Short mmCIF file of all heavy atoms in Angstrom, two decimals:
data_model
loop_
_atom_site.label_atom_id
_atom_site.label_comp_id
_atom_site.label_asym_id
_atom_site.label_seq_id
_atom_site.Cartn_x
_atom_site.Cartn_y
_atom_site.Cartn_z
N PRO A 1 17.97 -23.46 -30.99
CA PRO A 1 18.17 -22.03 -31.25
C PRO A 1 16.89 -21.31 -31.68
O PRO A 1 16.07 -21.86 -32.41
CB PRO A 1 19.19 -22.03 -32.40
CG PRO A 1 19.80 -23.39 -32.40
CD PRO A 1 18.74 -24.31 -31.90
N ASP A 2 16.74 -20.10 -31.19
CA ASP A 2 15.72 -19.17 -31.67
C ASP A 2 14.30 -19.70 -31.55
O ASP A 2 13.45 -19.47 -32.41
CB ASP A 2 16.01 -18.79 -33.13
CG ASP A 2 15.41 -17.44 -33.51
OD1 ASP A 2 15.36 -16.55 -32.65
OD2 ASP A 2 14.99 -17.29 -34.67
N HIS A 3 14.01 -20.41 -30.47
CA HIS A 3 12.62 -20.83 -30.25
C HIS A 3 11.77 -19.59 -29.99
O HIS A 3 12.16 -18.71 -29.21
CB HIS A 3 12.55 -21.78 -29.06
CG HIS A 3 11.22 -22.45 -28.92
ND1 HIS A 3 10.10 -21.80 -28.45
CD2 HIS A 3 10.82 -23.72 -29.19
CE1 HIS A 3 9.08 -22.63 -28.45
NE2 HIS A 3 9.49 -23.80 -28.90
N PRO A 4 10.60 -19.47 -30.61
CA PRO A 4 9.82 -18.22 -30.48
C PRO A 4 9.43 -17.87 -29.05
O PRO A 4 9.44 -16.69 -28.69
CB PRO A 4 8.59 -18.47 -31.36
CG PRO A 4 8.59 -19.93 -31.67
CD PRO A 4 9.99 -20.40 -31.57
N ALA A 5 9.09 -18.87 -28.23
CA ALA A 5 8.73 -18.58 -26.85
C ALA A 5 9.93 -18.06 -26.07
O ALA A 5 9.82 -17.12 -25.26
CB ALA A 5 8.15 -19.82 -26.17
N VAL A 6 11.09 -18.65 -26.31
CA VAL A 6 12.31 -18.21 -25.64
C VAL A 6 12.72 -16.83 -26.15
O VAL A 6 13.14 -15.95 -25.38
CB VAL A 6 13.44 -19.24 -25.86
CG1 VAL A 6 14.76 -18.73 -25.31
CG2 VAL A 6 13.06 -20.56 -25.21
N ARG A 7 12.60 -16.63 -27.44
CA ARG A 7 12.94 -15.33 -28.03
C ARG A 7 12.11 -14.21 -27.41
O ARG A 7 12.62 -13.15 -27.06
CB ARG A 7 12.72 -15.39 -29.54
CG ARG A 7 13.15 -14.15 -30.29
CD ARG A 7 13.12 -14.39 -31.79
NE ARG A 7 11.78 -14.62 -32.28
CZ ARG A 7 11.40 -15.63 -33.03
NH1 ARG A 7 12.26 -16.56 -33.37
NH2 ARG A 7 10.16 -15.75 -33.47
N ALA A 8 10.81 -14.46 -27.23
CA ALA A 8 9.93 -13.44 -26.64
C ALA A 8 10.30 -13.18 -25.18
O ALA A 8 10.32 -12.02 -24.72
CB ALA A 8 8.47 -13.89 -26.75
N ALA A 9 10.59 -14.25 -24.45
CA ALA A 9 10.96 -14.08 -23.03
C ALA A 9 12.27 -13.31 -22.89
O ALA A 9 12.40 -12.43 -22.03
CB ALA A 9 11.06 -15.44 -22.36
N LEU A 10 13.24 -13.63 -23.73
CA LEU A 10 14.52 -12.92 -23.67
C LEU A 10 14.35 -11.45 -24.01
O LEU A 10 15.02 -10.59 -23.41
CB LEU A 10 15.52 -13.58 -24.62
CG LEU A 10 16.14 -14.89 -24.15
CD1 LEU A 10 16.94 -15.55 -25.27
CD2 LEU A 10 17.03 -14.68 -22.93
N ALA A 11 13.46 -11.15 -24.95
CA ALA A 11 13.21 -9.74 -25.28
C ALA A 11 12.62 -9.00 -24.08
O ALA A 11 13.00 -7.85 -23.80
CB ALA A 11 12.27 -9.65 -26.48
N ASP A 12 11.71 -9.63 -23.37
CA ASP A 12 11.13 -9.00 -22.18
C ASP A 12 12.19 -8.80 -21.10
O ASP A 12 12.24 -7.76 -20.43
CB ASP A 12 9.97 -9.85 -21.64
CG ASP A 12 8.72 -9.73 -22.48
OD1 ASP A 12 8.62 -8.79 -23.29
OD2 ASP A 12 7.82 -10.61 -22.34
N LEU A 13 13.04 -9.80 -20.90
CA LEU A 13 14.10 -9.67 -19.90
C LEU A 13 15.07 -8.56 -20.27
O LEU A 13 15.51 -7.78 -19.41
CB LEU A 13 14.84 -11.00 -19.76
CG LEU A 13 14.08 -12.14 -19.08
CD1 LEU A 13 14.84 -13.46 -19.23
CD2 LEU A 13 13.83 -11.84 -17.60
N LYS A 14 15.40 -8.47 -21.55
CA LYS A 14 16.31 -7.42 -21.99
C LYS A 14 15.71 -6.04 -21.75
O LYS A 14 16.45 -5.07 -21.47
CB LYS A 14 16.63 -7.60 -23.48
CG LYS A 14 17.68 -6.66 -24.01
CD LYS A 14 18.03 -6.97 -25.46
CE LYS A 14 19.12 -6.04 -25.98
NZ LYS A 14 19.47 -6.34 -27.39
N ALA A 15 14.38 -5.96 -21.85
CA ALA A 15 13.69 -4.68 -21.61
C ALA A 15 13.51 -4.39 -20.12
O ALA A 15 12.90 -3.39 -19.75
CB ALA A 15 12.34 -4.69 -22.31
N GLY A 16 14.02 -5.29 -19.27
CA GLY A 16 13.92 -5.07 -17.83
C GLY A 16 12.62 -5.50 -17.21
O GLY A 16 12.34 -5.17 -16.05
N LYS A 17 11.82 -6.26 -17.95
CA LYS A 17 10.52 -6.69 -17.42
C LYS A 17 10.68 -7.92 -16.54
O LYS A 17 11.63 -8.70 -16.69
CB LYS A 17 9.56 -7.02 -18.58
CG LYS A 17 9.22 -5.83 -19.46
CD LYS A 17 8.28 -6.25 -20.59
CE LYS A 17 7.96 -5.06 -21.51
NZ LYS A 17 7.05 -5.48 -22.62
N THR A 18 9.74 -8.09 -15.62
CA THR A 18 9.67 -9.30 -14.81
C THR A 18 8.69 -10.27 -15.48
O THR A 18 7.56 -9.89 -15.80
CB THR A 18 9.19 -8.98 -13.39
OG1 THR A 18 10.14 -8.11 -12.77
CG2 THR A 18 9.05 -10.25 -12.57
N LEU A 19 9.13 -11.48 -15.68
CA LEU A 19 8.27 -12.46 -16.35
C LEU A 19 7.21 -12.99 -15.40
O LEU A 19 7.46 -13.18 -14.21
CB LEU A 19 9.11 -13.63 -16.87
CG LEU A 19 10.23 -13.28 -17.85
CD1 LEU A 19 10.96 -14.55 -18.27
CD2 LEU A 19 9.69 -12.56 -19.08
N ALA A 20 6.01 -13.23 -15.95
CA ALA A 20 4.93 -13.80 -15.16
C ALA A 20 5.24 -15.25 -14.82
O ALA A 20 5.91 -15.95 -15.60
CB ALA A 20 3.62 -13.73 -15.93
N PRO A 21 4.79 -15.75 -13.68
CA PRO A 21 5.02 -17.16 -13.34
C PRO A 21 4.44 -18.08 -14.41
O PRO A 21 3.43 -17.77 -15.05
CB PRO A 21 4.30 -17.34 -12.01
CG PRO A 21 4.18 -15.97 -11.44
CD PRO A 21 4.07 -15.04 -12.62
N PHE A 22 5.08 -19.21 -14.60
CA PHE A 22 4.64 -20.18 -15.59
C PHE A 22 3.30 -20.77 -15.20
O PHE A 22 2.42 -20.97 -16.06
CB PHE A 22 5.70 -21.28 -15.68
CG PHE A 22 5.46 -22.29 -16.75
CD1 PHE A 22 5.66 -21.99 -18.08
CD2 PHE A 22 5.03 -23.57 -16.43
CE1 PHE A 22 5.45 -22.93 -19.07
CE2 PHE A 22 4.82 -24.52 -17.41
CZ PHE A 22 5.03 -24.20 -18.73
N VAL A 23 3.12 -21.08 -13.94
CA VAL A 23 1.86 -21.60 -13.41
C VAL A 23 1.41 -20.67 -12.29
O VAL A 23 2.14 -20.47 -11.33
CB VAL A 23 2.02 -23.05 -12.88
CG1 VAL A 23 0.83 -23.45 -12.03
CG2 VAL A 23 2.20 -24.02 -14.03
N LYS A 24 0.21 -20.12 -12.44
CA LYS A 24 -0.26 -19.12 -11.48
C LYS A 24 -1.27 -19.67 -10.48
O LYS A 24 -1.51 -19.06 -9.44
CB LYS A 24 -0.90 -17.94 -12.23
CG LYS A 24 -0.03 -17.28 -13.27
CD LYS A 24 -0.78 -16.13 -13.94
CE LYS A 24 -0.02 -15.57 -15.13
NZ LYS A 24 0.05 -16.52 -16.26
N ASP A 25 -1.91 -20.81 -10.83
CA ASP A 25 -2.97 -21.31 -9.96
C ASP A 25 -3.13 -22.82 -10.13
O ASP A 25 -2.41 -23.45 -10.91
CB ASP A 25 -4.30 -20.59 -10.26
CG ASP A 25 -4.72 -20.68 -11.73
OD1 ASP A 25 -4.43 -21.71 -12.37
OD2 ASP A 25 -5.34 -19.72 -12.23
N VAL A 26 -4.08 -23.38 -9.40
CA VAL A 26 -4.27 -24.83 -9.40
C VAL A 26 -4.74 -25.33 -10.76
O VAL A 26 -4.29 -26.39 -11.24
CB VAL A 26 -5.27 -25.23 -8.29
CG1 VAL A 26 -5.67 -26.71 -8.42
CG2 VAL A 26 -4.67 -24.96 -6.92
N ASP A 27 -5.62 -24.59 -11.41
CA ASP A 27 -6.08 -25.02 -12.73
C ASP A 27 -4.90 -25.21 -13.69
O ASP A 27 -4.81 -26.22 -14.40
CB ASP A 27 -7.05 -23.98 -13.32
CG ASP A 27 -8.46 -24.12 -12.77
OD1 ASP A 27 -8.65 -24.88 -11.81
OD2 ASP A 27 -9.36 -23.44 -13.29
N GLN A 28 -4.01 -24.22 -13.71
CA GLN A 28 -2.88 -24.31 -14.63
C GLN A 28 -1.91 -25.42 -14.20
O GLN A 28 -1.31 -26.08 -15.05
CB GLN A 28 -2.15 -22.97 -14.69
CG GLN A 28 -2.93 -21.89 -15.42
CD GLN A 28 -2.12 -20.61 -15.57
OE1 GLN A 28 -1.21 -20.33 -14.80
NE2 GLN A 28 -2.47 -19.82 -16.58
#
């Protein structure tokens, strides 16, 4: 429950935002 990373992501989703991909490139 209430993991800070999940809490932040849920807040962005509630605001209608699109989340950035978890891995964007080969380095990551």
Side-chain angles (χ1 to χ4, degrees):
D2 204 34
H3 190 286
V6 173
R7 186 170 65 231
L10 284 171
D12 286 344
L13 289 170
K14 186 176 181 180
K17 297 179 181 179
T18 298
L19 302 180
F22 185 74
V23 166
K24 305 180 188 69
D25 55 33
V26 171
D27 280 10
Q28 289 185 335

